[in-house]
């Protein structure tokens, strides 16, 4: 995952020009313990929330805008089956999804006409009550974990030291440079690999401070009890069915982040990246000879 | 959980179809975890935390939002039972529910047997609220009826009463539908026994002649086809003891403010 070094990180001392190359690459202590714990708790929590969320979606695979929305009302997104064809409809665009969405075959070979397939949901066969139980318990894990993590990033210096976007980094040229490097799969080497790049900073900030809070607040906005306690919350999102739609869109954005995140870990060196998120220690990729 | 996946030779797991072969036992293992009694116990902690925090956050009488007639759903969807089976209900419907009675019993000083005329002669409340189904859809409708608190006051709740149980005329499978709530929601100003939807007599699909509106909770709590209201000290011994038809059968949350 990210490259984040502590100021006090024990980077290996520079080596004299005539000395033989160091036997092992320089290591930095990149991820402190709270980062590592939160990362893995979150990985499990978000997976459970996603899969149980897809089960809940299966109970009514239609999305609306506004306060109300049921079968007689216009859905801007729907997953359904017509005859032998499963499809996803967004607006007026219909995409055939037979086998994956709307109509699929389960492990026992039985054809199911549900939105998301059994391998993507908790539990695997239709069970709204269990889906809700998992979702509503792990929502607590996400919310408490995120709150603690936000407090720690703000108070512990992580935010200022590692995620803070410095003035020069906002320059369009700098951002464009980072985009080009990513596109060419050219990852920073040497000491530059110890810090977050601008795209990394922006995506982590977006996930931690925008997407995850948005998931929690749109989730709360769907609760009739919270609606009575905090009537303003559901209004902020434009009504309960809008909150449900935004919840789904933000979840899709998190899935997109996850896919890019995994791709980057694989491309940047999965062993080194994984080890750094387990032990904290990251081996700096050596500078390439000119 | 079966050991089917465990005894597979490693080579087969890694074979081309390995993903699929390995996935099936993995999925059934996940389902076994879901069904384990310990898991269910841990999972139900979520409901308790939500109930405790919601009750701490909201005033006892905090109101669900009330909308205007411009906000009404064009079609108010029904769910669950759309027409209770049986001759008795059909006969009541044919007579316009003229002989329908709602019994108020249990831990009350004066048990009552109310006709629809009795209920309509009490002070009425109308409210345009959003109905949120556990499945995810919502519909806005205008409900008219008597506050449950007035009915309970007329019967006189005894000190030992902690819960109100709602008995229904619709049978699903082997049992009559029922629901329950605690006194916070029973005595809430928007908790009414409704006999009208959108200023017309309640349609049969929506619970004629009388249904519960309990506006800070999900749709399955809003018991339809009401025949009885019973004050009790405990939910033990009623149904399977979890406080509602779906709570007993599929483990829906009893506290459905979530």
């Amino acid at each position: 995952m990210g490259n984040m070094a502590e100021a006090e990180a024990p980077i290996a001392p520079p080596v004299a020009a005539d000395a033989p190359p160091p036997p092992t690459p320089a290591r930095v202590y990149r991820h402190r313990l709270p980062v590592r714990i939160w990362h893995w708790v979150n990985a499990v929590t978000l997976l459970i929330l996603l899969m149980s969320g897809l089960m809940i979606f299966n109970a009514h695979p239609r999305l609306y805008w506004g306060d109300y929305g049921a079968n007689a009302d216009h859905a801007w997104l729907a997953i359904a089956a017509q005859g032998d064809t499963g499809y996803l409809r967004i607006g007026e665009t219909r995409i055939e999804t037979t086998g994956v969405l709307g109509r699929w075959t389960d492990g026992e070979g039985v054809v199911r006409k549900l939105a998301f397939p059994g391998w993507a949901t908790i539990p695997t066969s239709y069970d709204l009550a269990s889906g809700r139980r998992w979702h509503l318990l792990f929502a607590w894990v996400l919310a408490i974990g995120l709150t603690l993590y936000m407090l720690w990033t703000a108070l512990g210096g992580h935010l200022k030291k590692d995620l803070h976007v410095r003035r020069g980094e906002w320059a369009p040229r700098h951002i464009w440079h980072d985009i080009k490097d990513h596109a060419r799969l050219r990852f920073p080497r040497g000491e530059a690999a110890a810090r977050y790049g601008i795209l990394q900073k922006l995506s982590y900030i977006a996930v931690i401070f925008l997407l995850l809070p948005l998931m929690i607040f749109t989730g709360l906005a769907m609760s009739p009890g919270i609606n009575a306690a905090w009537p303003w919350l559901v209004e902020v999102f434009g009504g309960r069915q809008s909150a449900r739609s935004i919840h789904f869109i933000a979840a899709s954005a998190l899935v997109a982040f996850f896919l890019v995140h995994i791709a980057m870990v694989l491309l940047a060196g999965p062993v080194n990246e994984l080890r750094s998120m387990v032990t904290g220690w990251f081996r700096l990729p050596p500078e390439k000879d000119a | 959980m079966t050991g089917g996946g465990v005894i597979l030779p490693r080579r087969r797991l890694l074979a081309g179809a390995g993903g699929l072969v390995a996935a099936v036992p993995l999925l059934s293992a996940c389902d076994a975890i879901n069904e384990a009694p310990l898991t269910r116990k841990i999972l139900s902690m979520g409901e308790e935390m939500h109930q405790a925090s919601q009750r701490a956050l909201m005033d006892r009488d905090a109101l669900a939002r009330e909308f205007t007639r411009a906000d009404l759903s064009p079609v108010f969807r029904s769910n669950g039972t759309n027409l209770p089976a049986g001759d008795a209900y059909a006969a009541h419907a044919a007579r316009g529910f003229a002989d329908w009675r709602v019994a108020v019993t249990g831990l009350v000083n004066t048990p009552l047997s109310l006709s629809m005329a009795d209920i309509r002669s009490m002070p009425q409340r109308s409210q345009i609220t959003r109905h949120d189904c556990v499945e995810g859809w919502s519909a806005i409708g205008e409900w008219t009826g008597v506050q449950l608190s007035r009915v309970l006051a007329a019967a006189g709740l005894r000190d030992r009463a902690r819960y109100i149980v709602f008995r229904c005329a619709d049978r699903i499978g082997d049992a009559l539908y029922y629901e329950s709530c605690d006194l916070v929601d029973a005595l809430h100003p928007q908790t009414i026994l409704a006999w009208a939807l959108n200023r017309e007599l309640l349609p049969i699909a929506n619970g004629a002649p009388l249904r519960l509106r309990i506006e800070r909770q999900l749709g399955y709590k809003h018991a339809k086809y009401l025949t009885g209201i019973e004050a009790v000290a405990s939910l033990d011994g009623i149904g399977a003891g979890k406080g509602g038809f779906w709570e007993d059968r599929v483990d829906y949350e009893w506290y459905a403010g979530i």
Side-chain angles (χ1 to χ4, degrees):
Chain A
M1 170 153 167
N3 320 327
M4 166 252 300
E6 303 224 23
E8 66 274 22
I11 294 174
V15 186
D18 55 346
T24 51
R27 299 195 315 160
V28 287
Y29 185 62
R30 199 165 70 158
H31 301 299
R32 279 180 282 178
L33 189 61
V35 174
R36 277 139 51 204
I37 293 174
W38 188 65
H39 175 272
W40 291 114
V41 169
N42 235 15
V44 173
T45 302
L46 286 175
L47 185 69
I48 290 174
L49 283 170
L50 174 69
M51 295 177 72
S52 56
L54 296 182
M55 169 57 68
I56 297 172
F57 181 88
N58 274 3
H60 190 72
R62 299 163 57 83
L63 295 174
Y64 314 89
W65 296 113
D67 289 304
Y68 65 79
N71 300 57
D73 306 306
H74 174 74
W76 69 268
L77 183 148
I79 298 175
Q82 192 171 47
D84 289 343
T85 311
Y87 66 87
L88 159 71
R89 179 179 61 76
I90 302 174
E92 301 305 315
T93 311
R94 216 170 111 154
I95 305 157
E96 234 191 73
T97 53
T98 312
V100 186
L101 303 176
R103 191 186 188 278
W104 41 272
T105 309
D106 70 11
E108 267 98 53
V110 182
V111 170
R112 304 274 176 198
K113 287 188 176 179
L114 288 167
F116 287 99
W119 55 261
T121 60
I122 293 177
T124 57
S125 48
Y126 183 78
D127 181 351
L128 172 61
S130 290
R132 279 174 53 84
R133 291 272 178 197
W134 284 93
H135 206 73
L136 298 173
L137 176 66
F138 278 85
W140 278 109
V141 181
L142 176 71
I144 293 170
L146 182 66
T147 306
L148 292 177
Y149 186 76
M150 278 181 165
L151 286 174
W152 179 81
T153 52
L155 303 176
H158 178 49
L159 184 63
K160 208 173 154 199
K161 211 153 43 187
D162 305 307
L163 289 175
H164 177 67
V165 179
R166 280 157 233 292
R167 194 174 295 171
E169 290 181 298
W170 280 118
R173 260 186 59 195
H174 178 80
I175 297 177
W176 179 237
H177 186 78
D178 202 22
I179 292 174
K180 279 196 299 191
D181 278 357
H182 272 83
R184 291 174 190 155
L185 305 179
R186 251 193 345 223
F187 296 107
R189 312 190 74 86
E191 255 189 86
R195 291 183 299 275
Y196 284 142
I198 177 68
L199 292 185
Q200 276 178 307
K201 282 187 184 180
L202 291 179
S203 40
Y204 295 142
I205 288 169
V207 167
I208 296 168
F209 295 97
L210 269 158
L211 277 182
L212 292 179
L214 191 61
M215 290 308 297
I216 292 169
F217 285 113
T218 49
L220 284 171
M222 284 187 267
S223 143
I226 293 295
N227 289 166
W230 297 342
W232 51 268
L233 182 65
V234 64
E235 300 306 319
V236 166
F237 296 114
R240 182 177 191 257
Q241 290 302 319
S242 294
R244 186 165 175 264
S245 289
I246 298 169
H247 198 69
F248 186 86
I249 293 168
S252 309
L254 281 175
V255 171
F257 166 79
F258 170 78
L259 294 177
V260 174
H261 177 58
I262 294 299
M264 289 297 140
V265 166
L266 292 178
L267 291 167
V271 175
N272 195 19
E273 296 283 338
L274 263 177
R275 182 178 44 219
S276 78
M277 199 40 93
V278 174
T279 67
W281 288 94
F282 180 73
R283 277 181 197 189
L284 293 179
E287 304 271 8
K288 271 200 180 128
D289 295 331
Chain B
M1 174 164 66
T2 65
V6 181
I7 54 164
L8 278 175
R10 189 179 152 79
R11 226 176 337 144
R12 224 184 117 195
L13 281 175
L14 296 172
L20 253 176
V21 175
V24 172
L26 180 69
L27 292 181
S28 56
C30 289
D31 285 341
I33 292 172
N34 176 55
E35 282 151 25
L38 178 65
T39 312
R40 304 312 297 192
K41 213 168 166 179
I42 294 169
L43 289 178
S44 69
M45 283 166 41
E47 175 188 357
E48 287 159 29
M49 290 165 74
H50 284 287
Q51 179 178 356
S53 58
Q54 288 196 4
R55 284 285 161 80
L57 280 176
M58 72 165 97
D59 289 340
R60 197 184 164 100
D61 286 344
L63 296 181
R65 179 178 167 196
E66 295 195 13
F67 295 81
T68 68
R69 289 187 63 79
D71 304 313
L72 290 175
S73 287
V75 177
F76 195 98
R77 190 190 149 169
S78 70
N79 208 18
T81 305
N82 286 318
L83 173 64
D87 295 340
Y89 183 86
H92 275 295
R95 290 195 299 275
F97 302 102
D99 309 320
W100 190 268
R101 310 295 287 196
V102 178
V104 184
T105 58
L107 297 172
V108 292
N109 295 322
T110 318
L112 305 171
S113 174
L114 302 171
S115 68
M116 290 309 298
D118 294 335
I119 285 166
R120 288 188 196 111
S121 70
M122 298 175 86
Q124 301 294 302
R125 188 180 203 283
S126 278
Q127 57 203 34
I128 300 177
T129 52
R130 198 192 61 225
H131 179 93
D132 298 325
C133 179
V134 65
E135 294 167 1
W137 53 269
S138 305
I140 297 178
E142 178 175 0
W143 305 95
T144 306
V146 60
Q147 287 172 318
L148 178 60
S149 61
R150 290 187 188 271
V151 173
L152 294 176
L157 272 185
R158 292 205 203 147
D159 290 344
R160 286 201 303 124
R162 289 289 172 274
Y163 303 96
I164 306 297
V165 178
F166 304 92
R167 305 287 188 180
C168 307
D170 56 325
R171 182 177 294 277
I172 302 180
D174 60 333
L176 292 171
Y177 199 85
Y178 81 100
E179 260 301 341
S180 65
C181 67
D182 65 10
L183 294 184
V184 173
D185 276 307
L187 301 177
H188 185 262
Q190 287 172 320
T191 299
I192 63 173
L193 307 176
W195 51 268
L197 167 59
N198 295 338
R199 301 190 181 180
E200 287 176 17
L201 284 177
L202 200 54
I204 285 176
N206 300 103
L210 195 67
R211 77 174 298 173
L212 177 67
R213 295 298 310 167
I214 177 164
E215 303 290 358
R216 299 184 300 184
Q217 299 208 33
L218 295 174
Y220 60 87
K221 301 297 285 188
H222 302 227
K224 306 197 280 190
Y225 317 108
L226 286 176
T227 57
I229 294 164
E230 189 181 345
V232 297
S234 157
L235 297 172
D236 296 343
I238 298 168
K242 288 181 172 180
F245 181 89
W246 292 119
E247 289 89 325
D248 287 343
R249 277 160 190 79
V250 300
D251 201 24
Y252 275 171
E253 292 85 12
W254 175 78
Y255 180 73
I258 318 160

